Amino acid sequence: MSKSFLERRAASRAALAAAILGAGGGWDAFRRLFRFYRQRDALDLRGVVDFSVPGSQVTLGSSCPRKCLMILSPHPLPFSLWSGFIFIPNPFLPGCQRHWVKQCLKLYPQKPNVCNLDLHMAPEKTIDLWGQSTEQLRRKGSSKREPKSLLEKLRWVTLGYHYNWDTKKYSANHHTPFPSDLAFLSEQVAAACGFRGFQAQAGILNYYHFDSSLGIHVDESELDHSRPLLSFSFGQSSIFLLGGLKREEAPTAMFMHSGDIMVMSGFSRLLYHAVPRVLPNPEGTALPSCLDQALPSDLPVGSVIERSSDEDWQVCAKYLQSSRINMTIRQVLAEGQKFPEESGTNGKGQAASEDSHHQENSRAKRHKPNPDS
Ligand code: OGA
Ligand code: MN
C-alpha cells in the first residue's frame, strides 16, 4: 500500500504520459490531467500523492522557485512555509469535524448568507433548507431516482463579503457578518502557519457529490494576495490538482481527505488549481473513520466547538455518505484597505447562473469561461 515517494513520482509521470498520449492535440497540460482524473472508469490513482502516508513530499512544477510542499504528521501544526503551500493532514481532534460539518449543513446556509438556491427560488422557500430536508434525507435509500432534497441541491454558500460569480468581485455593499466560530478557526490555523492577524472576511463553501467537479481556476479576486487562502475539507475524499502560474504547466495531483487543511500562501497563493473528482472513502467504509469519533466529554475551556445532537449528526452522516464539503476562507482587504469606488453598479448582483460554480455532469463551470476547464 505505502509506496515510496520516488515510486509515486514515477507513477505520476506515467499517468501524465498516458493522459497526454490519450488526448487530442491543442489542449493545455492542466486540462489534459483534469480530464484524465475526471474520468469515472478504471481511474489510475497511482500518481496521486497521499499526504496521509507519513513522509509524503513532492515538489511543484518548474515555475516554482523552491520546494513547495511539506507535510508533517497531524499534531502539532506545521510551521514550515517553503513556497507557501502547506498541507496539514487532518489535525482535528476527535469529534471536532462533526461540528464544522453540521454548521455547513444546518447553520451557514441560513440567511443572511447567500446560496445557489437563492438565485432562482423565492426567498421564503430557502429559509430553512435543513428543516425541509432532514426527513427526506433520513428516509432516502440508495436509488438515484428519488427526488433530491434541498440540501442535496445546495452547491455553494457565501459568507462575509459575498463573492459575485458574475463580476468575480467582492464589494463593500454586499456583506453580512462572518460566522464567529469559523473566523476563530481560520485565525488559529493561519496564526499557527505564521500569519498573525489574519482576518476571515469571505468564505465560499462548496458542496460536492460523486458527479461534481470544480474547474481550473486561480483565486485572485481578493484585493490582498499577501494573505493566505485556507481550505478545509470534510466527508468523502477528492483529487486536488495544483498547477503553476500558467495553465500550460502540468499540475501535481493529491488526495484531500476528510479533515485535511490546505493553506495557499506566498508563491502558491495564485497557482492554478482544480478538483476534478470526488472519490468514495478509500477506507472502504461509508464514512471516513475520523468521523466515527464523537466529542470527548470534557471540551477545552473557551472552545468554539458545540456538541451536536445524535439526531443532527445522523442527518449529516447520511448526507456525507455521498458528499464532500469544502470551506475556503479568504481575507479580502489588507488592514485598513477599502474597496475602490464602484461605478454604475450597486455591487449586489448575485445573478450568476446556478451552474456557474461546479461542473456537474460536464455542465458549465466556474471562474473560467473556457470550455471544459
Ligand atoms: C475554491 C476551491 C477547492 C475545493 O473554492 O476556490 O478551490 O477543494 N476549492 O473545493
Ligand atoms: Mn480555489
Side-chain angles (χ1 to χ4, degrees), residues 55-265:
S56 303
Q57 176 172 295
V58 299
T59 50
L60 294 185
S62 53
S63 75
C64 181
R66 284 172 288 154
K67 249 185 175 179
C68 279
L69 294 181
M70 46 44 52
I71 303 314
L72 302 177
S73 59
H75 302 284
L77 292 182
F79 290 88
S80 142
L81 272 175
W82 291 358
S83 284
F85 182 78
I86 305 179
F87 193 108
I88 307 168
N90 177 22
F92 289 93
L93 294 168
C96 292
Q97 285 188 57
R98 290 186 177 189
H99 168 82
W100 301 107
V101 171
K102 193 197 75 182
Q103 300 296 71
C104 286
L105 293 176
K106 188 173 180 179
L107 188 70
Y108 301 154
Q110 289 178 21
K111 305 282 173 293
N113 302 332
V114 180
C115 76
N116 62 302
L117 301 174
D118 297 327
L119 301 179
H120 46 102
M121 281 177 73
E124 67 275 11
K125 296 232 160 92
T126 58
I127 286 174
D128 185 16
L129 302 181
W130 174 266
Q132 284 175 266
S133 306
T134 47
E135 269 318 303
Q136 206 177 331
L137 263 173
R138 273 196 203 100
R139 283 197 312 265
K140 206 174 164 74
S142 53
S143 161
K144 286 211 166 119
R145 297 230 179 102
E146 292 175 53
K148 281 197 167 96
S149 61
L150 285 179
L151 265 186
E152 291 165 292
K153 292 182 184 166
L154 189 62
R155 291 289 170 271
W156 53 262
V157 168
T158 53
L159 309 170
Y161 287 114
H162 297 279
Y163 184 70
N164 182 319
W165 302 98
D166 280 345
T167 62
K168 299 183 169 46
K169 285 187 176 151
Y170 302 96
S171 70
N173 50 10
H174 196 197
H175 178 267
T176 57
F178 194 95
S180 58
D181 58 349
L182 186 51
F184 181 78
L185 171 73
S186 307
E187 285 151 20
Q188 296 293 307
V189 169
C193 294
F195 292 94
R196 276 173 221 296
F198 175 82
Q199 292 170 40
Q201 295 172 333
I204 298 181
L205 314 182
N206 295 309
Y207 300 81
Y208 297 82
H209 307 294
F210 286 129
D211 54 359
S212 319
S213 58
L214 178 68
I216 304 167
H217 67 278
V218 174
D219 292 284
E220 57 194 354
S221 304
E222 297 72 28
L223 301 185
D224 181 5
H225 296 151
S226 72
R227 304 267 85 196
L229 189 147
L230 312 181
S231 157
F232 301 88
S233 295
F234 303 108
Q236 302 300 323
S237 298
S238 67
I239 297 175
F240 183 75
L241 297 177
L242 183 59
L245 292 169
K246 299 202 184 97
R247 279 171 69 112
E248 292 75 55
E249 215 171 296
T252 299
M254 57 192 88
F255 287 108
M256 269 194 281
H257 300 302
S258 196
D260 289 351
I261 303 177
M262 287 182 346
V263 179
M264 293 173 79
S265 69

